[in-house]
Amino acid sequence: MSSMSTMASQQQMVTNSAQMGVQQAAILQQPQTQQQQQLSQQQDFDPVHRFKMLIPLLKDSLQNVMTIASQNFGHNAAIDNGRTTEKGNDAAVQRFDKSLEEFYALCDQLELCLRLAHECLSQSIDSTKHSPNLVPTATKPDTVQTESLSYSQYLSMIKSQISCAKDIHNALLECSKKIAGKGQGACN
């Protein structure tokens, strides 16, 4: 009896340890899945990554368009040659316009990804051109670079950018007033 109770207790311990191991593995996997989800969300916003993901779909869609076009062409040729009746084989013929629409939708998505990537690149280039030096933050003083701006230099640069923007705004207002004045004089 004691050997049976010992075996039962050992089996219970093995079962408990296995359950604890599964729970610990689930706990360890949970942060990894959260990190993977965050990475996936970041990659969804990256136009280059999205472009790379859409290319295989575009290839498949183009292959589907060509296959359906081929099938429809063969079906129409058979009808023209009088080998099949028009109603006899219509179930096998797929809609070409649906597959072509899917292909064009993927092309539009790719175009948007490329435009977004181009816009991000041009903003990055403009950012480095107009503010080439970084401002060190108080939280990371050890990352101070030799070419970084001091806060006072950064403020003066921002003030000059604001005054330039005000000058452009005022020039546009003057031009709009002159155009509006000419338009009213022509109507009278």
Side-chain angles (χ1 to χ4, degrees), residues 16 23 37-38 56 58 60 67 76-77 92 119 130 139 154 162 185:
N16 288 343
Q23 290 172 350
Q37 287 174 348
Q38 289 173 352
L58 184 70
D60 292 342
T67 303
N76 290 340
E119 185 65 28
H130 296 295
T139 58
Y154 175 74
I162 290 172

Side-chain angles (χ1 to χ4, degrees), residues 138-150:
T139 58
K140 296 180 182 177
D142 58 333
T143 61
V144 175
Q145 298 174 351
T146 57
E147 59 217 30
S148 63
L149 295 175
S150 68

Side-chain angles (χ1 to χ4, degrees), residues 30 51 81 90 99 113 135:
Q30 187 177 12
F51 179 83
N81 293 333
D90 280 345
S99 61
C113 288
V135 178

Side-chain angles (χ1 to χ4, degrees), residues 13-185:
M13 287 173 47
V14 168
T15 304
N16 288 343
S17 64
Q19 288 175 347
M20 289 176 62
V22 168
Q23 290 172 350
Q24 288 175 349
I27 291 171
L28 290 175
Q29 287 177 354
Q30 187 177 12
Q32 289 175 351
T33 57
Q34 289 174 351
Q35 290 173 352
Q36 289 171 348
Q37 287 174 348
Q38 289 173 352
L39 181 62
S40 174
Q41 289 173 352
Q42 288 172 353
Q43 289 174 347
D44 286 344
F45 293 121
D46 181 19
V48 175
H49 179 73
R50 179 126 173 93
F51 179 83
K52 288 178 181 178
M53 286 177 41
L54 287 174
I55 289 295
L57 295 176
L58 184 70
K59 287 179 181 178
D60 292 342
S61 179
L62 180 61
Q63 184 178 7
N64 188 32
V65 166
M66 293 300 168
T67 303
I68 290 174
S70 171
Q71 289 172 354
N72 288 350
F73 185 70
H75 177 71
N76 290 340
I79 290 173
D80 290 343
N81 293 333
R83 285 185 271 166
T84 61
T85 61
E86 217 171 299
K87 294 182 181 180
N89 203 9
D90 280 345
V93 178
Q94 296 179 358
R95 300 265 322 250
F96 177 73
D97 57 342
K98 297 277 186 188
S99 61
L100 190 62
E101 185 66 32
E102 178 187 334
F103 176 75
Y104 281 141
L106 286 170
C107 287
D108 290 342
Q109 288 180 21
L110 286 171
E111 181 183 8
L112 289 174
C113 288
L114 290 175
R115 285 185 183 187
L116 182 59
H118 183 266
E119 185 65 28
C120 289
L121 178 65
S122 64
Q123 283 184 1
S124 175
I125 290 170
D126 288 343
S127 175
T128 56
K129 183 171 78 172
H130 296 295
S131 180
N133 300 328
L134 300 175
V135 178
T137 60
T139 58
K140 296 180 182 177
D142 58 333
T143 61
V144 175
Q145 298 174 351
T146 57
E147 59 217 30
S148 63
L149 295 175
S150 68
Y151 188 69
S152 60
Q153 291 172 328
Y154 175 74
L155 283 178
S156 66
M157 181 184 68
I158 295 299
K159 287 179 183 178
S160 69
Q161 289 177 349
I162 290 172
S163 67
C164 181
K166 284 182 182 178
D167 291 342
I168 292 171
H169 181 263
N170 291 337
L172 288 172
L173 280 177
E174 282 182 38
C175 287
S176 67
K177 287 178 184 178
K178 286 180 184 179
I179 291 172
K182 289 181 183 179
Q184 290 175 355

